[in-house]
Amino acid sequence: MPATTLKRHPVRGAIWGLLFGTGLGLLLMVMAIVPLSITTLIIYAVVNTSLGAAWGMFAPAKKPKGAPVALEPPPAPMS
């Protein structure tokens, strides 16, 4: 059975966290739930970026897609 490797994606998580944090901060400001200030927006972006990076690093891995890779070629038919 071939050994599987686990791929982590902290940069991808950080990028998605940055986008989510910026969007969440802007949405909360537009809906007047939090005060309108650039520091509030920066705080939401930084916190969600770090949470996204942590999620990309320590989250449970998904099951690999596709068939497992064969390490040895199949045996030749005997004639």
Side-chain angles (χ1 to χ4, degrees):
M1 176 172 231
T4 58
T5 58
L6 184 62
K7 289 186 179 181
R8 302 287 184 178
H9 300 286
V11 175
R12 186 184 302 172
I15 291 171
W16 283 112
L18 177 67
L19 291 173
F20 179 73
T22 304
L24 180 66
L26 288 172
L27 180 68
L28 292 175
M29 285 181 201
V30 168
M31 296 182 72
I33 296 174
V34 296
L36 180 64
S37 103
I38 192 68
T39 56
T40 305
L41 183 61
I42 291 172
I43 289 170
Y44 276 106
V46 169
V47 167
N48 282 303
T49 300
S50 60
L51 288 175
W55 183 259
M57 194 64 185
F58 302 114
K62 293 181 180 177
K63 185 177 179 182
K65 295 180 182 176
V69 179
L71 296 177
E72 300 175 8
M78 298 186 73
S79 38

